Structures are given as structure tokens and as C-alpha cells.
Amino acid sequence: MKSNSSRAEPAFDSHLDHMAAALRLARRGLGNVWPNPAVGCIIVKDGLVAGRGWTQPSGRPHAETEALCRAGKQAVGATAYVTLEPCNHEGQTPPCAEALIEAGIARVIVAVQDSDPRVAGLGINRLKKAGIDTHVGTCQTAARQINAGFFSRIELGRPLITLKTAATLDGHIALANGESQWITGPPARHAAHGLRSTHDAIMVGSGTAIKDNPNLSCRLSGLSNDRRPRIVLDGRLRTPVDSELVTTASTMPLWIITTKGHPSDQLDKYRQKDVAVIEAPVGSVGQIDLEWIVLKLGARGLTRILVEGGGHLAASLFKAGFVDQIAWFRAPSVIGNSGISAIGEIGLEKLSEMPKFKRQSLIEFGDDTLEILTKIS
């Protein structure tokens, strides 16, 4: 007898295996599908995989559409494993819930319900009303973690922010004279580009942009930077117009966020080079209003931002409570007290005020390690 209960039923090994495979597919979309979530879908018929799909670059086609296309007629009577509730609203493409119904899918296993008000249970209800055996909750925690940035944008109005740093054992990113290349070795630096690939945008402060003259692109073979904005927080508008960031803005998006009130001719120097200049209000501490910025970036559709420096920006984000995740590359070396700290002054008065994080993973890259930590709410 079929059941339309949305409560998670006991998960058999096959359910877990198929959903785990769908989650791996979903990860392929991270960094490329904003403002949409990264979703994976697997169609299973008679115990065999008939079709696979994941959200495509720019967010369309959706995972279900891709999987159904590959499954073809094998979709009739099959089970669909989807990492996020199928959408139920008309957009640039028809609703995925309707596509599953029309394809003749008999059963849908959903990892986690969508919190987007346009969906939020409506896709699940549509499947149930069509007589499809629908279950929710298989691998829910893992599915929510993959789309933590999407859920943050929908529920909080801002993207998930990952602070990435490469530091010594004693937490320094450079010598007192500014020399920083290189704290970590080639394997760790290659892994850092992998981190860039899973985020929608890369952000730095103006100090880093001026001192390091970075490119901030993801330099991994086969990956495009066409939709990955590089963001510079530059209240005084000091980023050189002949910098690597500005001179490549016509091929890779560059957003400079500065304070309001700069002369129009100064702004035009950047805009003429295809730089998007965003004028932000000043916050209570006399600097760019960080809360306004993160909400503005969320409104622009960004779900995941990788912050790569420097120490002052890192400290400001910690003070504001906006660091959701830390990617800490640690080299087995020591600089000493004269070095430049990875994180600037936060101004804590009590140990109870310390931002606290939980380790999610620890990976070795050559002699270096990468520790991923998530904020404890």
C-alpha cells in the first residue's frame, strides 16, 4: 500500500546509497548555479540507475529535468531521488514537480524541504495529490549542508560566508615587512583554487587588493570565471585602475564596494573598465556598513562568498557575526610575535564572547593541512 506521509520512513541501504550519489551530483553545481540551489537527482528503475542530473551552470536546466531527459521512457514507474524539494512555481522553466508527474514517476524520495516561499512544501504536496508515493528526510542533514548558502540567502537574506586563510602554526599570514609568498606549499595552494570553484564569489579588502595585486580567479582546468564575481571592499576607492583586478574586469566580473560620496569622475574611471561600483552607506563605526553589504549581495543572488583577506576584514566580519565557516590552511612553521596576524583586533572583553566553531574535516595537502570549521549557533 502506498503512503503519502512526508515523515521520513526507515531508510534502507539502497535509499541511502542512491541519495548519497545524488548528493555527490549536487556538489557539482556549487559555485556555478547561483541564485539557484545546487541539486542532484537520480532516477532508479528496477534497482538500476536510469538517469542522472544536476543543476546546470547559471541554474538551469534543473537537476530533475536533466535526469528525466536521460531516463527517457524508463522514468515510467521509477523512483526519483532528489536532494531538494522539486520546485512548484513557473519560472524560466516549468515546475519540476509537474515534470516528475508527467514523466510517470511512481515514487519520489526528497532529502530536504525547500524553504523558498515559492516552494516550501508546495512541490511535495503537488506530488502527493498526483498519487506519487513521496517521502522526505533521507540524508537531510547532508543535503542542507550542501545548500547552506542557498538556505542562508532565503532565510537570512545574505550569503554564507567562508573565511579562508593560509597561516603558520602561530596564526600569522606574513612577516612584519609584508612578505607572504608563500606560507603554504603548491598542493595547498591548488586546493585553495578548488575552494574558489565551490563559491559564487571571492572577496578581499582593499589592503589585500593593493598589496598583493591578486587576480582572484579560479585557475583550475575546465572551470570558467564568467559568473564568479571578484569583490573588493574599498571604502576609500584606492584600488589601482591598472591593477590585475581592474584590467581583467571585462572578462571576469569585478564588483568594488565603496562608500557614497566619491566624485563621479573617480567612479567613471572604474566603470569605463567594466567594473561594477556599488556605493554603500557608512556604518556606526565609520566604515562601510557590513550588514548592508551582505544583504545587498544576497539580494543580488549570491549564496556563497569566500573571503580571502585580510586580517582587518576578517576581524570586522567576526565582530559582525557574519563568519559562517572557516577554511584554515595551516603550514608547519612559525613566524613569531612580529608577524602579521591572520585575524585583526576583535576587541573581546570576555572569553564567553569568543566566536566558536566546530571542526568538520581535516585534510592533508603535502606538508600542510586544511581544517574546515563551521560556526556553532
Side-chain angles (χ1 to χ4, degrees):
M1 181 175 67
K2 291 183 177 181
S3 169
N4 280 332
S5 172
S6 63
R7 296 179 61 187
E9 65 172 14
F12 298 103
D13 288 346
S14 60
H15 287 340
L16 295 176
D17 290 343
H18 290 313
M19 187 60 80
L23 290 168
R24 288 193 292 271
L25 292 176
R27 290 189 181 94
R28 296 186 181 188
L30 291 177
N32 291 308
V33 301
W34 64 277
N36 286 0
V39 181
C41 178
I42 288 184
I43 309 294
V44 178
K45 179 72 172 290
D46 298 328
L48 299 176
V49 175
R52 297 179 177 87
W54 59 93
T55 313
Q56 297 298 293
S58 301
R60 291 180 176 80
H62 290 182
E64 297 93 325
T65 302
E66 288 285 293
L68 290 170
C69 181
R70 292 183 171 93
K73 295 181 179 179
Q74 289 297 307
V76 178
T79 297
Y81 293 84
V82 190
T83 61
L84 184 69
E85 177 182 3
C87 64
N88 186 55
H89 57 282
E90 294 282 351
Q92 297 182 23
T93 57
C96 290
E98 186 61 31
L100 291 166
I101 295 168
E102 293 183 355
I105 290 290
R107 192 181 196 200
V108 177
I109 309 296
V110 178
V112 64
Q113 181 174 308
D114 195 342
S115 56
D116 186 329
R118 298 172 299 174
V119 186
L122 298 177
I124 292 168
N125 290 337
R126 188 167 185 170
L127 294 171
K128 291 179 182 179
K129 288 180 180 178
I132 293 177
D133 190 12
T134 306
H135 300 263
V136 182
T138 302
C139 300
Q140 178 172 284
T141 300
R144 188 171 177 89
Q145 189 278 327
I146 288 173
N147 273 309
F150 172 76
F151 284 114
S152 178
R153 188 179 70 82
I154 293 297
E155 297 170 6
L156 303 177
R158 68 169 181 87
L160 175 138
I161 295 177
T162 301
L163 174 66
K164 172 258 176 181
T165 190
T168 57
L169 291 174
D170 53 348
H172 294 105
I173 57 175
L175 297 177
N177 62 12
E179 183 182 352
S180 61
Q181 297 182 348
W182 295 101
I183 295 290
T184 54
R189 298 201 297 274
H190 184 81
H193 283 278
L195 271 177
R196 287 181 180 179
S197 75
T198 62
H199 287 74
D200 306 341
I202 317 300
M203 179 188 290
V204 297
S206 58
T208 298
I210 294 168
K211 179 176 68 70
D212 296 344
N213 191 26
N215 179 280
L216 298 183
S217 62
C218 175
R219 295 188 288 279
L220 295 181
S221 178
L223 292 179
S224 170
N225 289 283
D226 294 348
R227 297 190 73 245
R228 187 170 292 108
R230 300 159 304 159
I231 303 171
V232 181
L233 300 192
D234 186 1
R236 289 179 283 172
L237 209 55
R238 299 183 300 152
T239 304
V241 292
D242 61 350
S243 65
E244 181 71 14
L245 286 166
V246 174
T247 56
T248 57
S250 61
T251 56
M252 294 181 287
L254 174 62
W255 301 354
I256 292 182
I257 302 178
T258 190
T259 53
K260 295 179 179 179
H262 294 289
S264 58
D265 60 340
Q266 188 176 6
L267 300 176
D268 288 344
K269 291 179 181 179
Y270 295 96
R271 289 171 173 157
Q272 289 168 2
K273 293 183 177 292
D274 298 315
V275 176
V277 180
I278 301 171
E279 296 179 88
V282 175
S284 57
V285 294
Q287 299 177 340
I288 298 179
D289 188 332
L290 278 179
E291 183 175 7
W292 185 93
I293 289 171
V294 296
L295 292 175
K296 182 71 171 180
L297 295 176
R300 285 193 165 213
L302 294 180
T303 66
R304 295 166 60 87
I305 295 178
L306 184 66
V307 176
E308 294 199 4
H312 177 73
L313 175 56
S316 297
L317 289 168
F318 274 116
K319 287 179 182 178
F322 293 144
V323 177
D324 303 298
Q325 184 170 269
I326 300 174
W328 193 292
F329 287 94
R330 199 178 303 274
S333 54
V334 172
I335 287 179
N337 193 47
S338 63
I340 297 174
S341 177
I343 301 169
E345 178 65 42
I346 298 180
L348 301 179
E349 296 182 356
K350 300 178 182 179
L351 289 178
S352 60
E353 298 174 349
M354 292 189 300
K356 296 182 180 180
F357 294 78
K358 180 179 180 180
R359 178 191 291 169
Q360 298 298 318
S361 63
L362 184 65
I363 310 169
E364 292 185 354
F365 292 100
D367 294 330
D368 307 312
T369 58
L370 167 61
E371 189 174 13
I372 301 293
L373 307 104
T374 55
K375 185 177 180 180
I376 298 175
S377 301

